[in-house]
Amino acid sequence: MRKGFVYILKCANGNFYTGSTIDLNRRLHQHQTGNGANYTRKHRPVALVYHQEFPTIQEAFRREKQIQGWSHAKKQALIDGDFDRLKSLSRSRSGKK
C-alpha cells in the first residue's frame, strides 16, 4: 500500500481547500499551475498551509472528508496547531461532546 497525504491549501480568496493525494509535491504543483481542482484553478495562487501523512491513501481520504465538514475556524485551529481551540470548536452547540 502507498502512503497518503491530506493537505489544506489557502486560496487567494482566503478560503481553504482540503484534498488528499499520494504525491504531495506533484499535487501542489498541479494546483499552482491551474491543473488541479476546478475550485483552486479559479482562486489561485494557493499556499500549502497544512499537511499530514498517513500509512495509506484510504486513511488520508477519510481524514480529508472529515476536515471538509469543518468550519473555517476549526480548520484554522488545526493549521495553527491550537489543539485547545480545536477541541472547544469540536463541542456541539449544546455543550456536549
Side-chain angles (χ1 to χ4, degrees):
M1 291 252 178
R2 297 174 74 168
K3 66 183 175 183
F5 298 88
V6 66
Y7 61 92
I8 301 175
L9 304 176
K10 186 168 188 176
C11 298
N13 64 357
N15 289 335
F16 295 128
Y17 174 87
T18 305
S20 58
T21 185
I22 58 171
D23 187 337
L24 187 58
N25 290 327
R26 180 180 58 84
R27 191 65 177 139
L28 181 57
H29 182 266
Q30 289 173 332
H31 285 295
Q32 288 289 23
T33 59
N35 296 310
N38 188 43
Y39 186 83
T40 59
R41 185 177 308 122
K42 294 176 181 178
H43 299 95
R44 287 184 294 148
V46 298
L48 180 66
V49 293
Y50 176 84
H51 72 278
Q52 185 178 359
E53 185 176 329
F54 290 86
T56 67
I57 187 60
Q58 291 81 6
E59 291 173 78
F61 181 75
R62 281 193 291 276
R63 181 68 163 160
E64 172 193 351
K65 293 305 169 190
Q66 179 186 37
I67 293 170
Q68 284 176 339
W70 291 0
S71 68
H72 186 91
K74 192 170 176 180
K75 290 176 189 176
Q76 188 66 61
L78 176 66
I79 292 162
D80 294 343
D82 188 341
F83 300 107
D84 290 334
R85 187 164 43 114
L86 185 63
K87 186 176 178 181
S88 85
L89 290 167
S90 296
R91 294 189 181 117
S92 70
R93 293 178 192 224
S94 65
K96 298 177 184 176
K97 289 188 178 180

